[in-house]
């Protein structure tokens, strides 16, 4: 194992953190943390939660979360390819023994086929002569035309390459799959939240806690008590303050339209 799990374990050991200390900080259970480091992803609830846990764990350890997610996605592709390709089993070789009678019958059949071919050929020669008129090949392009075309193509290629290099960004932005909400609690808050229709959070979250919710279609905050104590980011975009200290916010929904609104689309 030399993938994302080894990177996470090395970073945690370098910081001198125990599993329990990490659980107390980011609220991911110890058995899930061990599964992430050992890349034993069958223990986790699913790929959506696995990506969310990897992203949160990497940020807590000071690692670029996108590199960890890319490594995890690559391992999923390799696993799928290995399942698709079946193992080839050797075909047993069976010795075939021909009797003399069978060999004689095959020889007679071959003679009959040869005689038939000769007979058909003679009939074709008697019926008439077939004349074949070859189709002329197109003339080769002149050297001057080819040079002109090559120079024009080269100029267009260079121009296209310059335009592509000029428009290429220096650094690619972090890519998100679905809807990723990053929650930072600056004060104690009561939160009830659903992810794709299933309850993901319910209870009082203490100050200083970070949580990540990842959904395919929708994240719904059914109720947020003390909305001023919650800072929220969605797919890397900061959400405006949800309210003041002590305010109660209900039925706050984040979907595709909300993500586009935050991105300024």
């Amino acid at each position: 194992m030399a993938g994302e799990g080894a990177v996470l374990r090395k970073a945690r050991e370098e910081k001198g953190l125990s599993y329990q200390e990490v659980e107390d900080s980011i609220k991911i259970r110890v058995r899930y943390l061990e599964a992430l480091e050992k890349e034993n992803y069958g223990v986790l609830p699913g790929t959506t939660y696995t990506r969310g846990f990897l992203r949160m764990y990497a940020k807590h350890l000071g690692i670029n979360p996108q590199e960890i997610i890319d490594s995890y996605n690559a391992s999923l592709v390799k696993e799928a390819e290995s399942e698709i390709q079946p193992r080839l089993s050797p075909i047993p070789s069976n010795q075939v023994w021909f009797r003399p009678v069978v060999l004689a019958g095959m020889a007679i059949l071959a003679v009959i086929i040869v005689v038939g071919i000769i007979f058909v050929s003679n009939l074709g020669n008697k019926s008439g002569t077939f004349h074949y008129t070859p189709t002329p090949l197109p003339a080769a392009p002149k050297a001057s035309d080819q040079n002109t075309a090559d120079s024009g193509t080269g100029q267009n290629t260079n121009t296209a390459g310059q335009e592509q290099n000029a428009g290429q960004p220096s650094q690619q932005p972090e890519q998100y799959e679905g809807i990723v909400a990053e929650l930072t609690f600056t004060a104690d808050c009561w939160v009830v939240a659903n992810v794709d229709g299933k309850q993901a959070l319910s209870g009082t979250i203490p100050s200083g806690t970070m949580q990540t919710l990842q959904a395919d279609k929708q994240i719904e905050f059914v109720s947020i008590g003390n909305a001023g104590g919650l800072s929220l980011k969605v797919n890397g975009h900061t959400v405006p303050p949800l309210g003041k200290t002590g305010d109660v916010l209900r039925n706050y929904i984040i979907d595709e339209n909300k993500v586009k609104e935050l991105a300024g689309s």
Side-chain angles (χ1 to χ4, degrees), residues 124-164:
N125 292 334
K126 290 179 182 179
S127 62
T129 304
F130 177 75
H131 297 282
Y132 169 72
T133 304
T135 303
L137 297 175
K142 296 181 181 180
S144 59
D145 295 339
Q146 185 172 2
N147 293 335
T148 302
D150 292 343
S151 62
T153 304
Q155 184 177 0
N156 293 336
T157 303
N158 293 335
T159 303
Q162 292 174 359
E163 293 176 354
Q164 183 177 1

Side-chain angles (χ1 to χ4, degrees), residues 11-120:
R12 177 181 60 80
E13 291 175 349
E14 288 178 351
K15 291 180 178 294
L17 298 174
S18 65
Y19 288 127
Q20 189 60 51
E21 289 174 333
V22 176
E23 179 183 355
D24 294 340
S25 297
I26 61 177
K27 307 304 178 184
I28 297 178
R29 296 180 182 178
V30 169
R31 69 189 189 97
Y32 289 159
L33 295 174
E34 292 177 345
L36 293 176
E37 292 186 0
K38 294 179 180 178
E39 299 179 16
N40 186 16
Y41 298 122
V43 176
L44 292 123
T47 56
T48 299
Y49 281 95
T50 300
R51 291 190 181 98
F53 288 164
L54 286 171
R55 189 183 304 276
M56 187 186 304
Y57 196 9
K59 284 189 176 182
H60 182 69
L61 297 176
I63 303 172
N64 184 354
Q66 190 60 41
E67 294 180 359
I68 298 297
I69 297 299
D70 291 343
S71 179
Y72 169 69
N73 291 338
S75 66
L76 290 182
V77 172
K78 291 180 180 178
E79 181 179 351
E81 291 177 351
S82 64
E83 292 178 357
I84 291 174
Q85 296 177 354
R87 294 183 178 179
L88 300 178
S89 56
I91 301 175
S93 59
N94 297 324
Q95 295 182 349
V96 181
W97 299 91
F98 292 96
R99 296 181 179 181
V101 176
V102 177
L103 293 175
M106 294 178 64
I108 294 172
L109 180 61
V111 172
I112 293 174
I113 293 174
V114 172
V115 172
I117 293 174
I118 295 173
F119 179 75
V120 172

